[in-house]
Amino acid sequence: GNSVTQMEGPVTLSEEAFLTINCTYTATGYPSLFWYVQYPGEGLQLLLKATKADDKGSNKGFEATYRKETTSFHLEKGSVQVSDSAVYFCALDNQGGKLIFGQGTELSVKP
Amino acid sequence: DTAVSQTPKYLVTQMGNDKSIKCEQNLGHDTMYWYKQDSKKFLKIMFSYNNKELIINETVPNRFSPKSPDKAHLNLHINSLELGDSAVYFCASSQKTSGTDTQYFGPGTRLTVL
């Protein structure tokens, strides 16, 4: 079946540190891959996405590359800010709108 | 203007009661969804509707019944509430049901069953 595995949190970083959140997936076919972010007390919002192999999604300094050979979609940011503190969800979709989410990774950025 | 809105934001009720959560989107999207987020923040799809037609129905107890009066609204009715139904319920919408579409989420409804 389809599944997404993310690195466990919480992840605690100092401001301006480099961020990597690992995400790997198992899926039949060619899924689209997404990163969603959930700020405290809010709903999810799309951070970035990639719809085919080798595509790179990017937004707000975050980026992730769709790697079919390693079935991965790791999230990176060169310099995190306190305002990036949130829960990050990796997700895939290869069934027409049925998003399959990873377990979420909580990020806490300290000043 | 809120793109996807849900009411109520918080719902506290007793076991055995029946309750509804309402969702509306003003994005002109064709497809709407309900997701459940448990206490560990794990998110799982429950239902999706495209143009008022049910297209995804995960293994959800039949105490949960979605209703879509028009394509801008998708309500969730829950009968005979149980303790295990306590969770945050998110509504979402997307332009179509294509696997590449972005889903836009509402702010969530926190349901607590006592």
Side-chain angles (χ1 to χ4, degrees), chain B residues 10-31:
Chain B
Y10 299 97
L11 186 51
V12 181
T13 188
Q14 300 288 329
M15 255 190 338
N17 284 349
D18 302 339
K19 290 293 177 188
S20 292
I21 306 172
K22 295 188 175 183
C23 178
E24 177 181 2
Q25 54 96 0
N26 64 6
L27 297 167
H29 288 167
D30 285 347
T31 308

Side-chain angles (χ1 to χ4, degrees), chain A residues 51-91:
Chain A
T51 58
K52 59 184 189 298
D54 300 325
D55 267 3
K56 179 188 278 191
S58 60
N59 186 26
K60 299 181 184 178
F62 291 89
E63 57 182 40
T65 301
Y66 188 161
R67 302 274 187 215
K68 190 161 171 54
E69 62 277 10
T70 54
T71 61
S72 65
F73 193 53
H74 304 321
L75 182 69
E76 296 183 336
K77 186 176 186 184
S79 175
V80 293
Q81 306 301 310
V82 171
S83 57
D84 294 327
S85 298
V87 181
Y88 292 81
F89 292 92
C90 185

